[in-house]
């Protein structure tokens, strides 16, 4: 298929040692020896042979899919530089997507900046596996601020 998924996922440089690509799907064991797996697929758009991002899912070996998140190329700036260089504008065909209409000597994701996607996948996986590896040493997630506590409970309006 035109996606060349093994090469795309290799370029994504995910930190998971135990992984494989089957067809257009990436599978990994974020923490070896646990029943949780990571599955990443390309997400289709309404246009034929056009993909707008990745769908990452946490799958339990016995219980099946637990959670999933869609990561769009547009939201993570994956093709911003490519589209700007080609004068492709937002809300036009080909903006922020991978499709089969590309130069044959180049991969369909040519010009991609995958840092945003990789960071999002690492953050998502880390939420489900406390000891998942990351590429960014020293970076930690910040806890969400707590809701304000009132002495008498919530106020009536």
């Amino acid at each position: 298929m035109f996606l060349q998924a093994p090469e795309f996922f290799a370029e994504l440089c995910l930190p998971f040692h135990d992984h494989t690509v089957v067809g257009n799907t990436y599978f990994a064991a974020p923490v070896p020896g646990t029943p949780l797996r990571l599955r990443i697929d390309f997400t289709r758009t309404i246009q034929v042979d056009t993909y707008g991002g990745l769908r990452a899912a946490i799958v339990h070996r016995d219980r099946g899919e637990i959670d999933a998140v869609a990561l769009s190329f547009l939201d993570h700036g994956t093709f911003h530089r490519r589209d700007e260089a080609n004068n492709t504008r937002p809300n036009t065909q080909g903006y922020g997507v991978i499709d089969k209409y590309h130069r044959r000597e180049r991969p369909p994701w040519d010009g991609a900046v995958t840092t945003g996607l990789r960071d999002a996948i690492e953050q998502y996986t880390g939420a489900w596996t406390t000891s998942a590896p990351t590429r960014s040493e020293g970076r930690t997630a910040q806890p969400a601020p707590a809701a304000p506590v009132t002495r008498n409970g919530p106020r009536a309006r």
Side-chain angles (χ1 to χ4, degrees):
M1 181 162 203
F2 75 90
L3 283 175
Q4 302 170 7
E7 292 86 357
F8 176 83
F9 289 116
E11 193 166 309
L12 197 55
C13 295
L14 293 171
F16 310 115
H17 178 69
D18 296 329
H19 69 274
T20 190
V21 177
V22 179
N24 291 328
T25 304
Y26 177 91
F27 296 95
V31 180
T34 65
L36 295 180
R37 302 292 181 259
L38 173 65
R39 181 183 68 221
I40 304 174
D41 299 294
F42 289 90
T43 57
R44 297 176 186 267
T45 66
I46 60 172
Q47 297 170 328
V48 175
D49 293 328
T50 303
Y51 299 87
L54 300 175
R55 180 182 187 273
I58 297 296
V59 180
H60 189 278
R61 184 175 49 222
D62 300 325
R63 298 182 204 149
E65 188 172 290
I66 295 174
D67 189 64
V69 64
L71 306 169
S72 78
F73 295 140
L74 186 62
D75 290 346
H76 294 89
T78 307
F79 295 108
H80 179 73
R81 288 184 189 164
R82 177 202 70 184
D83 294 340
E84 209 170 68
N86 293 335
N87 284 330
T88 307
R89 298 288 171 225
N91 300 320
T92 61
Q93 186 172 350
Y95 185 80
V97 298
I98 292 175
D99 60 25
K100 70 177 182 178
Y101 305 105
H102 61 279
R103 289 186 276 166
R104 291 191 187 276
E105 67 275 2
R106 309 293 292 169
W109 67 87
D110 187 39
V113 177
T114 58
T115 307
L117 280 175
R118 181 180 53 245
D119 289 349
I121 292 167
E122 288 176 5
Q123 183 179 13
Y124 176 70
T125 306
W128 286 96
T129 59
T130 57
S131 59
T134 61
R135 290 177 42 89
S136 308
E137 292 295 324
R139 190 170 53 172
T140 59
Q142 299 298 317
V149 178
T150 60
R151 293 181 92 147
N152 300 326
R155 293 184 189 176
R157 292 188 181 220

